[in-house]
Amino acid sequence: MNAADAADVADAEAGRLVQGVQVVILPSAAEAEQHVATLFAEQLRRKPDSVLGLATGGTPVGVYRALVAAHRLGEADFGRARTFNLDEYAGVPSAHPQSYAAYMRTHLFDLVNLTPDRTHLPEGDAANAEDACRLYDALYRYYGPADLQLLGIGLNGHIGFNEPGFASAPGGTHVVRLDESTRRANARFFGADEQVPEYALTMSAGRILQARSIVLLATGAAKAAIVARALEGPIGTDCPASLLQLHPDATVVLDREAAGALAPERG
């Protein structure tokens, strides 16, 4: 599906507001991923020097694949863009194959015209993690906020690595202990003899909400319950993704399975 087709499908299914959040529901995961990629390509065309907020994990892989394809067709130029990732595992060097730095190189950075000096992630293996957080926060304050921020949603509602009940966390980039459910979900990316890191460096929810526009992508039936909680439930840190209800320009893009637990739209 090309960008125009994706936009046509989105137009047919968009227009639903849930608690002030624009919700786009598409027939399949591939179409949802393509739609999100189209939003990023359009952002780059409007503002070639955009600051892009990026995410990792299983959810964005199809988005990056579509962006790489758009770049090869001349439809997405990253030459003047700058990127900031949400998080990185603590104690994991950037050269490690399971680092998020390696993930980004594999899925996007090495496949488009982004130079390394314009891509930013927290330094996971810094000698002092707190200093690394302060440095990353300073970089983001200098270059940011993100013009467009990509998010996924964890099965427990986390955004970035802001786990439920983070009320006591600092306001900026910080070190967080990962919830056991998050570590179980991420174990599939590690070998049988590898341990999933216990800690990560992550942008705070407050930093994430500073982005000018946010798009959250969720696909698959496993995400349906938490999507419904985030969009239709009360705002609270027990479900960090619910904080998107506070953002003035947030869009949630879903396939039909991920939208399966949402209340029927009222006519």
Side-chain angles (χ1 to χ4, degrees):
M1 178 184 291
N2 61 32
D5 291 339
D8 289 343
V9 174
D11 287 342
E13 302 235 2
R16 180 175 181 179
L17 282 175
V18 180
Q19 302 285 73
V21 177
Q22 181 72 42
V23 177
V24 176
I25 303 171
L26 294 164
S28 68
E31 288 163 296
E33 293 159 356
Q34 178 63 64
H35 180 67
V36 173
T38 298
L39 295 178
F40 274 82
E42 289 173 348
Q43 175 66 40
L44 288 169
R45 285 194 289 273
R46 284 194 305 271
K47 185 182 178 186
D49 61 346
S50 290
V51 176
L52 305 178
L54 303 179
T56 51
T59 299
V61 170
V63 175
Y64 297 142
R65 186 184 305 117
L67 278 172
V68 170
H71 170 70
R72 289 172 176 166
L73 291 171
E75 297 172 357
D77 182 2
F78 292 84
R80 294 170 57 193
R82 186 173 297 273
T83 68
F84 280 86
N85 268 76
L86 292 168
D87 40 41
E88 179 59 281
Y89 288 120
V92 176
S94 63
H96 190 285
Q98 297 309 327
S99 72
Y100 285 149
Y103 170 106
M104 292 306 306
R105 290 192 298 269
T106 298
H107 292 293
L108 184 67
F109 293 167
D110 288 352
L111 305 176
V112 298
N113 59 330
L114 266 168
T115 57
D117 62 304
R118 303 185 73 85
T119 64
H120 306 285
L121 294 93
E123 187 180 357
D125 64 340
N128 186 310
E130 298 295 343
D131 285 347
C133 288
R134 283 190 286 270
L135 174 60
Y136 196 64
D137 226 28
L139 281 171
Y140 188 77
R141 288 197 304 270
Y142 184 80
Y143 290 112
D147 293 293
L148 182 58
Q149 174 68 58
L150 175 62
L151 295 177
I153 181 172
L155 291 172
N156 63 2
H158 72 234
I159 50 175
F161 272 136
N162 295 285
E163 303 284 17
F166 65 85
S168 62
T173 304
H174 59 284
V175 180
V176 62
R177 185 172 185 172
L178 300 179
D179 190 88
E180 279 305 310
S181 65
T182 300
R183 296 181 73 213
R184 286 195 300 272
N186 288 356
R188 69 189 189 277
F189 300 116
F190 291 81
D193 58 344
E194 293 181 300
Q195 185 176 7
V196 181
E198 189 174 354
Y199 293 90
L201 286 64
T202 187
M203 275 190 190
S204 68
R207 282 281 180 268
I208 292 170
L209 292 175
Q210 288 175 355
R212 294 184 173 94
S213 297
I214 295 175
V215 57
L216 183 149
L217 172 66
T219 57
K223 295 290 179 74
I226 196 62
V227 165
R229 164 64 187 90
L231 292 177
E232 298 177 340
I235 299 170
T237 59
D238 63 306
C239 178
S242 68
L243 297 173
L244 293 185
Q245 296 179 36
L246 300 171
H247 197 276
D249 188 8
T251 301
V252 173
V253 180
L254 309 170
D255 65 0
R256 285 179 179 154
E257 289 188 342
L262 291 174
E265 187 173 12
R266 295 176 182 175

Short mmCIF file of all heavy atoms in Angstrom, two decimals, residues 40 43 51-54 84 86 140 143-151 203-215 244 246-251:
data_model
loop_
_atom_site.label_atom_id
_atom_site.label_comp_id
_atom_site.label_asym_id
_atom_site.label_seq_id
_atom_site.Cartn_x
_atom_site.Cartn_y
_atom_site.Cartn_z
N PHE A 40 4.90 10.44 9.63
CA PHE A 40 6.28 10.88 9.81
C PHE A 40 6.85 11.43 8.50
O PHE A 40 7.58 12.44 8.50
CB PHE A 40 7.14 9.74 10.36
CG PHE A 40 7.09 9.66 11.85
CD1 PHE A 40 6.04 9.03 12.50
CD2 PHE A 40 8.08 10.24 12.63
CE1 PHE A 40 5.98 8.97 13.88
CE2 PHE A 40 8.03 10.19 14.00
CZ PHE A 40 6.98 9.56 14.64
N GLN A 43 5.51 14.83 8.05
CA GLN A 43 6.18 15.75 8.97
C GLN A 43 7.51 16.21 8.39
O GLN A 43 7.85 17.40 8.45
CB GLN A 43 6.40 15.07 10.33
CG GLN A 43 7.20 15.90 11.33
CD GLN A 43 6.50 17.16 11.77
OE1 GLN A 43 5.30 17.16 11.99
NE2 GLN A 43 7.25 18.25 11.89
N VAL A 51 12.52 17.55 14.64
CA VAL A 51 13.00 16.70 15.71
C VAL A 51 11.98 15.57 15.85
O VAL A 51 10.80 15.82 16.11
CB VAL A 51 13.16 17.46 17.03
CG1 VAL A 51 13.57 16.52 18.16
CG2 VAL A 51 14.18 18.59 16.87
N LEU A 52 12.43 14.34 15.66
CA LEU A 52 11.55 13.18 15.70
C LEU A 52 11.81 12.38 16.97
O LEU A 52 12.96 12.02 17.26
CB LEU A 52 11.78 12.28 14.47
CG LEU A 52 11.64 12.96 13.10
CD1 LEU A 52 11.93 11.96 11.99
CD2 LEU A 52 10.25 13.58 12.93
N GLY A 53 10.76 12.10 17.71
CA GLY A 53 10.86 11.24 18.88
C GLY A 53 10.56 9.81 18.47
O GLY A 53 9.52 9.54 17.86
N LEU A 54 11.47 8.90 18.78
CA LEU A 54 11.36 7.53 18.29
C LEU A 54 11.24 6.52 19.42
O LEU A 54 11.65 6.78 20.55
CB LEU A 54 12.56 7.19 17.40
CG LEU A 54 12.77 8.12 16.20
CD1 LEU A 54 13.99 7.70 15.41
CD2 LEU A 54 11.53 8.16 15.30
N PHE A 84 15.47 11.68 18.72
CA PHE A 84 15.67 11.35 20.12
C PHE A 84 14.86 10.10 20.44
O PHE A 84 13.65 10.07 20.19
CB PHE A 84 15.21 12.50 21.03
CG PHE A 84 16.19 13.61 21.15
CD1 PHE A 84 16.20 14.64 20.21
CD2 PHE A 84 17.12 13.64 22.17
CE1 PHE A 84 17.12 15.67 20.29
CE2 PHE A 84 18.05 14.67 22.27
CZ PHE A 84 18.05 15.70 21.33
N LEU A 86 13.33 7.28 23.17
CA LEU A 86 12.74 7.36 24.50
C LEU A 86 13.64 6.80 25.59
O LEU A 86 13.66 7.31 26.71
CB LEU A 86 11.41 6.59 24.53
CG LEU A 86 10.26 7.16 23.72
CD1 LEU A 86 9.15 6.13 23.61
CD2 LEU A 86 9.74 8.44 24.38
N TYR A 140 17.99 17.21 25.05
CA TYR A 140 16.59 17.29 24.60
C TYR A 140 16.04 18.70 24.80
O TYR A 140 15.32 19.22 23.96
CB TYR A 140 15.75 16.26 25.33
CG TYR A 140 14.33 16.16 24.79
CD1 TYR A 140 14.07 15.48 23.61
CD2 TYR A 140 13.26 16.76 25.45
CE1 TYR A 140 12.78 15.39 23.09
CE2 TYR A 140 11.97 16.67 24.95
CZ TYR A 140 11.74 15.99 23.76
OH TYR A 140 10.47 15.91 23.25
N TYR A 143 17.62 20.90 21.88
CA TYR A 143 17.16 20.67 20.53
C TYR A 143 15.64 20.49 20.41
O TYR A 143 15.08 20.71 19.34
CB TYR A 143 17.83 19.42 19.94
CG TYR A 143 19.29 19.58 19.65
CD1 TYR A 143 20.24 18.88 20.40
CD2 TYR A 143 19.73 20.40 18.63
CE1 TYR A 143 21.60 19.01 20.12
CE2 TYR A 143 21.08 20.54 18.34
CZ TYR A 143 22.01 19.84 19.10
OH TYR A 143 23.34 19.98 18.82
N GLY A 144 15.01 20.07 21.47
CA GLY A 144 13.61 19.72 21.43
C GLY A 144 12.70 20.91 21.69
O GLY A 144 13.15 22.04 21.65
N PRO A 145 11.43 20.62 21.91
CA PRO A 145 10.85 19.28 22.03
C PRO A 145 10.64 18.63 20.66
O PRO A 145 10.80 19.27 19.63
CB PRO A 145 9.50 19.56 22.71
CG PRO A 145 9.11 20.92 22.20
CD PRO A 145 10.42 21.69 22.11
N ALA A 146 10.26 17.36 20.70
CA ALA A 146 10.00 16.64 19.46
C ALA A 146 8.83 17.27 18.72
O ALA A 146 7.82 17.65 19.33
CB ALA A 146 9.69 15.18 19.75
N ASP A 147 8.97 17.40 17.41
CA ASP A 147 7.84 17.85 16.60
C ASP A 147 6.79 16.75 16.48
O ASP A 147 5.59 17.03 16.44
CB ASP A 147 8.34 18.26 15.21
CG ASP A 147 9.21 19.49 15.26
OD1 ASP A 147 8.69 20.57 15.59
OD2 ASP A 147 10.42 19.37 15.01
N LEU A 148 7.26 15.51 16.41
CA LEU A 148 6.36 14.36 16.34
C LEU A 148 6.99 13.22 17.12
O LEU A 148 8.14 12.84 16.84
CB LEU A 148 6.11 13.94 14.89
CG LEU A 148 5.15 12.78 14.64
CD1 LEU A 148 3.77 13.07 15.24
CD2 LEU A 148 5.02 12.49 13.14
N GLN A 149 6.26 12.70 18.08
CA GLN A 149 6.75 11.63 18.96
C GLN A 149 6.01 10.34 18.69
O GLN A 149 4.77 10.31 18.71
CB GLN A 149 6.56 12.03 20.43
CG GLN A 149 6.90 10.95 21.43
CD GLN A 149 8.38 10.65 21.47
OE1 GLN A 149 9.19 11.54 21.73
NE2 GLN A 149 8.75 9.40 21.22
N LEU A 150 6.75 9.27 18.43
CA LEU A 150 6.17 7.94 18.26
C LEU A 150 6.18 7.21 19.59
O LEU A 150 7.20 7.20 20.30
CB LEU A 150 6.98 7.15 17.23
CG LEU A 150 6.59 5.69 17.01
CD1 LEU A 150 5.17 5.56 16.50
CD2 LEU A 150 7.58 5.03 16.05
N LEU A 151 5.07 6.58 19.93
CA LEU A 151 4.96 5.78 21.14
C LEU A 151 4.37 4.42 20.83
O LEU A 151 3.55 4.27 19.91
CB LEU A 151 4.05 6.45 22.18
CG LEU A 151 4.48 7.79 22.78
CD1 LEU A 151 3.39 8.29 23.72
CD2 LEU A 151 5.80 7.67 23.50
N MET A 203 13.08 8.65 29.19
CA MET A 203 12.46 9.97 29.28
C MET A 203 11.26 9.86 30.21
O MET A 203 10.54 8.86 30.20
CB MET A 203 11.95 10.43 27.91
CG MET A 203 12.95 11.11 27.04
SD MET A 203 12.07 11.83 25.63
CE MET A 203 13.47 12.29 24.63
N SER A 204 11.03 10.89 30.98
CA SER A 204 9.86 10.90 31.85
C SER A 204 8.59 11.09 31.04
O SER A 204 8.62 11.55 29.89
CB SER A 204 9.98 12.02 32.88
OG SER A 204 9.87 13.29 32.23
N ALA A 205 7.46 10.77 31.64
CA ALA A 205 6.18 11.03 30.98
C ALA A 205 6.00 12.52 30.71
O ALA A 205 5.45 12.92 29.68
CB ALA A 205 5.04 10.50 31.85
N GLY A 206 6.49 13.34 31.63
CA GLY A 206 6.38 14.78 31.43
C GLY A 206 7.14 15.25 30.21
O GLY A 206 6.65 16.08 29.44
N ARG A 207 8.35 14.70 30.01
CA ARG A 207 9.12 15.05 28.82
C ARG A 207 8.39 14.58 27.55
O ARG A 207 8.33 15.29 26.55
CB ARG A 207 10.50 14.41 28.88
CG ARG A 207 11.48 15.11 29.78
CD ARG A 207 12.07 16.34 29.13
NE ARG A 207 13.00 16.97 30.04
CZ ARG A 207 12.69 17.94 30.91
NH1 ARG A 207 11.45 18.40 30.95
NH2 ARG A 207 13.60 18.46 31.71
N ILE A 208 7.86 13.39 27.59
CA ILE A 208 7.14 12.86 26.43
C ILE A 208 5.97 13.78 26.06
O ILE A 208 5.75 14.09 24.89
CB ILE A 208 6.64 11.43 26.72
CG1 ILE A 208 7.82 10.46 26.82
CG2 ILE A 208 5.66 10.97 25.63
CD1 ILE A 208 7.46 9.09 27.35
N LEU A 209 5.26 14.23 27.06
CA LEU A 209 4.09 15.08 26.81
C LEU A 209 4.45 16.47 26.32
O LEU A 209 3.57 17.21 25.87
CB LEU A 209 3.23 15.17 28.08
CG LEU A 209 2.53 13.88 28.50
CD1 LEU A 209 1.83 14.08 29.84
CD2 LEU A 209 1.54 13.41 27.45
N GLN A 210 5.72 16.83 26.36
CA GLN A 210 6.14 18.11 25.82
C GLN A 210 6.20 18.11 24.30
O GLN A 210 6.27 19.17 23.67
CB GLN A 210 7.52 18.50 26.38
CG GLN A 210 7.50 18.90 27.84
CD GLN A 210 8.90 19.15 28.39
OE1 GLN A 210 9.90 18.92 27.71
NE2 GLN A 210 8.96 19.61 29.62
N ALA A 211 6.17 16.93 23.68
CA ALA A 211 6.20 16.86 22.21
C ALA A 211 5.03 17.64 21.63
O ALA A 211 3.93 17.66 22.19
CB ALA A 211 6.14 15.41 21.76
N ARG A 212 5.29 18.27 20.50
CA ARG A 212 4.23 19.07 19.87
C ARG A 212 3.08 18.20 19.38
O ARG A 212 1.91 18.57 19.50
CB ARG A 212 4.82 19.89 18.73
CG ARG A 212 5.81 20.95 19.22
CD ARG A 212 6.31 21.83 18.07
NE ARG A 212 7.11 22.92 18.61
CZ ARG A 212 8.44 22.90 18.74
NH1 ARG A 212 9.11 21.80 18.34
NH2 ARG A 212 9.10 23.92 19.22
N SER A 213 3.40 17.04 18.83
CA SER A 213 2.38 16.07 18.40
C SER A 213 2.86 14.69 18.81
O SER A 213 4.07 14.41 18.81
CB SER A 213 2.18 16.11 16.88
OG SER A 213 1.69 17.37 16.47
N ILE A 214 1.92 13.82 19.14
CA ILE A 214 2.23 12.46 19.57
C ILE A 214 1.37 11.49 18.77
O ILE A 214 0.16 11.73 18.58
CB ILE A 214 1.95 12.28 21.08
CG1 ILE A 214 2.90 13.16 21.91
CG2 ILE A 214 2.10 10.81 21.49
CD1 ILE A 214 2.61 13.13 23.41
N VAL A 215 1.96 10.41 18.32
CA VAL A 215 1.19 9.32 17.72
C VAL A 215 1.57 8.03 18.44
O VAL A 215 2.75 7.68 18.54
CB VAL A 215 1.42 9.23 16.20
CG1 VAL A 215 2.87 9.06 15.84
CG2 VAL A 215 0.57 8.10 15.60
N LEU A 244 -2.02 10.60 27.89
CA LEU A 244 -2.20 11.17 26.55
C LEU A 244 -3.52 11.92 26.44
O LEU A 244 -3.68 12.78 25.57
CB LEU A 244 -2.13 10.08 25.50
CG LEU A 244 -0.78 9.38 25.31
CD1 LEU A 244 -0.85 8.41 24.15
CD2 LEU A 244 0.34 10.38 25.10
N LEU A 246 -4.37 14.16 28.22
CA LEU A 246 -4.07 15.55 28.57
C LEU A 246 -3.40 16.31 27.43
O LEU A 246 -3.25 17.53 27.51
CB LEU A 246 -3.14 15.58 29.80
CG LEU A 246 -3.65 14.94 31.08
CD1 LEU A 246 -2.55 14.87 32.12
CD2 LEU A 246 -4.84 15.73 31.62
N HIS A 247 -2.97 15.59 26.39
CA HIS A 247 -2.18 16.24 25.34
C HIS A 247 -3.09 16.88 24.29
O HIS A 247 -4.09 16.28 23.89
CB HIS A 247 -1.25 15.21 24.67
CG HIS A 247 -0.16 15.85 23.88
ND1 HIS A 247 -0.32 16.28 22.58
CD2 HIS A 247 1.13 16.15 24.21
CE1 HIS A 247 0.81 16.81 22.15
NE2 HIS A 247 1.71 16.74 23.12
N PRO A 248 -2.76 18.08 23.81
CA PRO A 248 -3.64 18.76 22.85
C PRO A 248 -3.59 18.20 21.44
O PRO A 248 -4.47 18.51 20.63
CB PRO A 248 -3.12 20.20 22.87
CG PRO A 248 -1.69 20.09 23.28
CD PRO A 248 -1.64 18.93 24.24
N ASP A 249 -2.59 17.38 21.11
CA ASP A 249 -2.48 16.86 19.74
C ASP A 249 -1.95 15.43 19.77
O ASP A 249 -0.82 15.15 19.35
CB ASP A 249 -1.56 17.75 18.90
CG ASP A 249 -1.56 17.36 17.42
OD1 ASP A 249 -2.37 16.50 17.02
OD2 ASP A 249 -0.74 17.92 16.66
N ALA A 250 -2.76 14.54 20.28
CA ALA A 250 -2.38 13.12 20.38
C ALA A 250 -3.28 12.30 19.47
O ALA A 250 -4.50 12.49 19.43
CB ALA A 250 -2.50 12.63 21.82
N THR A 251 -2.67 11.37 18.75
CA THR A 251 -3.39 10.46 17.87
C THR A 251 -3.01 9.04 18.24
O THR A 251 -1.84 8.73 18.47
CB THR A 251 -3.02 10.71 16.40
OG1 THR A 251 -3.36 12.06 16.05
CG2 THR A 251 -3.76 9.75 15.47
#
